[in-house]
Amino acid sequence: MKKALLLSVISIALNSCMSIAWIGYDKPEDSDYMSIENVPIKIGMQNLKNENQRKAIEEATKEVFSILKSEEFRKKVESKDWLISCKIENGNKDILDGKSVFKILNKGYVNLSINPRKPWRAIAQAQKSQTDHTKNRIAIKPKRINTWFSNNIETKSELVNTIAHELTHTVSFKFLDTGHGTVECPDAELVSYGIGNLVAKMWIEKQLYTTTYITHS
């Protein structure tokens, strides 16, 4: 009885958090989607009332795709096997080879909208199936969006990491991360967290190289 009650409470709490993420969310019209230079998708900005938030999402998304579309990123993703979820069935982990993961990512980016609200840091509403893209949206906590305006590269990279991470969920309903951060399912091996961390790391290296090159030129 106590176990059933506990599960019920957890379920209510999780559903409440999911609801909180979308409070005040206005569904996008076609005119709400913004094209971004060198980005293969459009972003719905209808819920970003603050011009700085729009600028942060636009600029950070552009930076994310500059990494996602690079040859170096492809090689790094294809060089290893990935956990696509933390599921373990009959002792077998949910593993997919890097080439297959990159193929899914590279062909799966779809238009999405941004909601500046979340009780935690960020969350994505992925499609219901591999072909259902009716609710592709990402909620990002405003404080996380504002990190883009930091003078610290590490802090600034948090939004890059977040966008790259959440994109994986919109790309495929199979890319899950419930139960992550354990010995059996470390973040570094999981598609969502691993890709987010990889893109952020590559972006930081790019910024440091650019800064060093300009300084010494």
Side-chain angles (χ1 to χ4, degrees), residues 17-30 32-33 42-49 110-118 123-127 133-140 145 170:
C17 288
M18 288 293 287
S19 298
I20 291 172
W22 309 114
I23 287 177
Y25 178 81
D26 293 324
K27 293 181 180 180
E29 302 291 337
D30 289 342
D32 291 321
Y33 285 98
K42 293 182 179 181
I43 306 292
M45 301 284 193
Q46 77 283 1
N47 290 294
L48 297 172
K49 311 302 182 185
V110 294
N111 295 343
L112 55 89
S113 55
I114 300 289
N115 195 40
R117 187 184 298 273
K118 180 65 180 71
I123 190 171
Q125 174 80 54
Q127 65 269 36
H133 303 288
T134 55
K135 287 187 177 180
N136 282 287
R137 54 189 184 177
I138 295 175
I140 302 178
I145 297 176
T170 64

Side-chain angles (χ1 to χ4, degrees), residues 19 31 34 44 47 50 64 82 97 106 130 155 202 204 206:
S19 298
S31 59
M34 175 184 290
N47 290 294
N50 185 311
V64 167
W82 293 84
D97 66 276
N106 195 45
Q130 198 65 44
T155 301
M202 291 178 66
I204 290 173
K206 176 183 174 183

